[in-house]
Amino acid sequence: MTSKLPEVKTTIFTVMGKLAKEYSAINLSQGFPDFDADPKLIELVTKAMKNGYNQYAPMQGIIELREQIAKKFDDLYNVTYNPETEITITAGATQAIFTIISTFIHQDDEVIIFKPAYDCYEPAIELNKGKSILIQLEAPNYNVDWNKVKQHINSKTKMIIINTPHNPSGSVWSKQDMNQLEALVKDTNIIILSDEVYEHIIFDEQLHQSVCMFPHLKERSFVVASFGKTFHTTGWKMGYCAAPSKFMHEFRKVHQFNVFCANHPMQIAFAEYLKNPNTYLNINSLYQEKRDFFLDAIKDSRFKFIPSIGTYFQLLDYSVISNENDIEFAQKLVKEYRLAAIPISVFNSNQIDNNMLRFCFAKKKETLKRAAEILCEI
Ligand SMILES: Cc1ncc(COP(=O)(O)O)c(C=O)c1O
């Protein structure tokens, strides 16, 4: 048998998750909350199930939810998406990303990816016989060198994948970054896949720069969002994407044979839940408080850090403590100190190792406190 993904091994999330269990460690590795979703949201799903919404939803998602999403785009970013033709509900952001790539990438098409990157982009490109063009961002700030990006754009460039707020670095793109991107792609046919799953988790008064706010980007972009990340329901695998109708028309051709539709009772619930904008507008302060609590608790440790500006991840630099590589150090942390984190080299080009680990702070205060106590001991 010839593998279609010969380089893909068990992901680091599975490895660290398993080790965390084995060693009864505090698990700050994978990106999910250890607290529950709003009971009201759970009640709404239960109600929808009891009311009989247990069969297939429409392929593109229920219109009531797409209308709420269109309203959210309008309220937050002052942009219009037609809910009939430009918004589709998906089984999480991952499915949207996979389907977008499958819809547009042909053999030998080039897709620019900024590293470190979330791990689902490259396998999807490879399965579609495209070519990932990797641009490494430099630690510790992970700023984009736009001259470098310019040098990598050519007639084969079909897509650029961007992600702000950025997993794993916790950096966010500025308005100037978006302007630079806009200027570079303006006279091309390049499609932008904008992974904005952390749009509501951004700190210190920074504003999320969605591609949809920049007209020459909006006209060529997919915005990808995740209800899992925003509403502490990662296990529900619910999300959506928005794009101009000519792109969404092609997307739906693939989507209908990929999953056909996303979970019906949850769509009914989210359509109701989203009517109250505080449900997503309050997420920033919830996570900013957690970030500040965690960073204050480790301020006297030997780890170095730049506070995360978005996402629920914090990078910690352990170079003062050890010169082991980050995978070894992460393993030592879980086996000897019972604390699990993710080594950043797995997200980088050529596994570049900057002695950084990623910690997820989407956790209860008591979990963060215990983790911080361990970090201060090392
Ligand atoms: C940057 C990024 N994109 C996409 C996803 C996947 O989102 P979902 O769980 O909705 O598929 C994640 C989850 O960790 C992520 O960090």
Side-chain angles (χ1 to χ4, degrees), residues 13-273:
F13 305 104
T14 310
V15 173
M16 293 313 298
K18 201 163 158 254
L19 272 181
K21 251 201 183 129
E22 209 177 302
Y23 286 85
S24 307
I26 299 172
N27 190 357
L28 302 196
S29 62
Q30 212 179 347
F32 61 83
D34 72 345
F35 46 90
D36 220 343
D38 184 351
K40 191 164 164 239
L41 179 58
I42 293 172
E43 237 171 68
L44 286 169
V45 176
T46 311
K47 193 169 118 198
M49 287 179 173
K50 286 190 174 153
N51 285 344
Y53 292 100
N54 298 307
Q55 311 308 330
Y56 298 123
M59 180 270 281
Q60 60 278 59
I62 65 167
I63 187 63
E64 294 81 356
L65 178 54
R66 288 183 284 134
E67 280 168 356
Q68 285 303 321
I69 293 166
K71 184 169 178 311
K72 178 169 168 285
F73 272 114
D74 191 9
D75 291 349
L76 288 184
Y77 305 119
N78 201 16
V79 294
T80 305
Y81 282 101
N82 181 336
E84 288 287 355
T85 54
E86 299 188 314
I87 295 171
T88 300
I89 312 301
T90 60
T94 311
Q95 184 244 313
I97 291 166
F98 191 86
T99 305
I100 294 164
I101 292 170
S102 301
T103 305
F104 296 102
I105 298 308
H106 295 257
Q107 183 154 8
D108 299 331
D109 283 346
E110 294 190 357
V111 182
I112 292 180
I113 296 179
F114 297 91
K115 299 286 277 182
Y118 183 60
D119 62 352
C120 80
Y121 311 145
E122 285 163 68
I125 294 162
E126 190 176 349
L127 282 173
N128 287 286
K129 299 193 165 62
K131 196 167 165 214
S132 296
I133 305 297
L134 307 178
I135 298 183
Q136 180 65 39
L137 306 178
E138 302 301 327
N141 291 310
Y142 298 93
N143 293 330
V144 182
D145 175 347
W146 286 102
N147 279 329
K148 214 167 167 187
V149 182
K150 192 173 176 187
Q151 285 160 17
H152 284 85
I153 292 181
N154 62 51
S155 59
K156 286 191 187 159
T157 311
K158 186 67 171 276
M159 186 179 281
I160 301 178
I161 302 182
I162 69 171
N163 169 221
T164 180
H166 181 238
N167 173 15
S169 73
S171 62
V172 303
W173 282 20
S174 65
K175 191 170 176 207
Q176 287 71 25
D177 285 317
M178 302 309 273
N179 288 335
Q180 295 266 15
L181 178 66
E182 190 170 39
L184 278 186
V185 297
K186 205 168 158 222
D187 298 315
T188 71
N189 291 322
I190 295 171
I191 296 170
I192 308 289
L193 191 172
S194 184
D195 180 342
E196 303 187 15
V197 300
Y198 299 104
E199 73 183 302
H200 299 300
I201 311 181
I202 181 161
F203 312 128
D204 307 330
E205 317 294 316
Q206 296 279 329
L207 291 179
H208 172 56
Q209 302 294 331
S210 174
V211 273
C212 70
M213 294 153 73
F214 301 81
H216 294 296
L217 292 178
K218 182 175 184 277
E219 68 188 15
R220 63 181 67 248
S221 295
F222 275 85
V223 178
V224 174
S226 168
F227 290 129
K229 296 294 180 187
T230 302
F231 297 118
H232 330 309
T233 54
T234 57
W236 292 5
K237 294 303 293 184
M238 291 289 290
Y240 61 89
C241 60
S245 57
K246 66 173 183 192
F247 292 128
M248 192 51 84
H249 179 71
E250 289 303 312
F251 173 92
R252 287 178 180 173
K253 288 185 191 172
V254 180
H255 173 77
Q256 67 183 338
F257 297 116
N258 185 187
V259 287
F260 183 71
C261 66
N263 184 302
H264 198 171
M266 287 168 188
Q267 292 192 47
I268 302 282
F270 279 124
E272 184 59 31
Y273 195 67

